[in-house]
Amino acid sequence: RNGRSPGSVIFDVSSRSETQLQLLELITAQYPLRRGTIFPKEGPKHLCEVNFHPELQDEISRACDEGLLFEKDNTVILASRAED
């Protein structure tokens, strides 16, 4: 999927029941260096695009390697790099 800005990663949160506000709080806690978050909808998929400054390659890699942790049910959703 194409990102809206360079430095974006995409989480597919279709399987989650959390509200956008709850997801934003979780993302903010786990990725405080992010620049922004949007929730584009692509057909039946619910996506979360998180943007980092392109120079923060370590944070981008961490989102792809470690993902977004949902502690209440011990679930991790990995991100994929958005295409520029």
Side-chain angles (χ1 to χ4, degrees):
R1 183 183 190 292
N2 289 337
R4 294 185 187 246
S5 301
S8 288
V9 297
I10 308 265
F11 292 97
D12 184 345
V13 293
S14 302
S15 64
R16 302 304 306 180
S17 62
E18 287 83 2
T19 66
Q20 287 184 358
L21 180 58
Q22 290 169 321
L23 290 167
L24 184 59
E25 289 171 348
L26 187 65
I27 291 162
T28 300
Q30 293 181 35
Y31 295 99
L33 297 179
R34 81 201 187 326
R35 290 199 299 190
T37 304
I38 60 170
F39 296 92
K41 189 170 179 190
E42 193 171 273
K45 291 184 179 181
H46 293 270
L47 305 175
C48 178
E49 182 175 337
V50 179
N51 182 260
F52 298 93
H53 191 285
E55 292 179 6
L56 294 178
Q57 289 299 311
D58 289 347
E59 282 296 290
I60 295 168
S61 294
R62 186 168 75 86
C64 295
D65 295 341
E66 297 177 19
L68 191 56
L69 174 63
F70 295 85
E71 290 184 8
K72 70 179 181 183
D73 58 2
N74 200 30
T75 299
V76 174
I77 295 178
L78 300 177
S80 58
R81 289 177 186 258
E83 298 175 14
D84 292 336

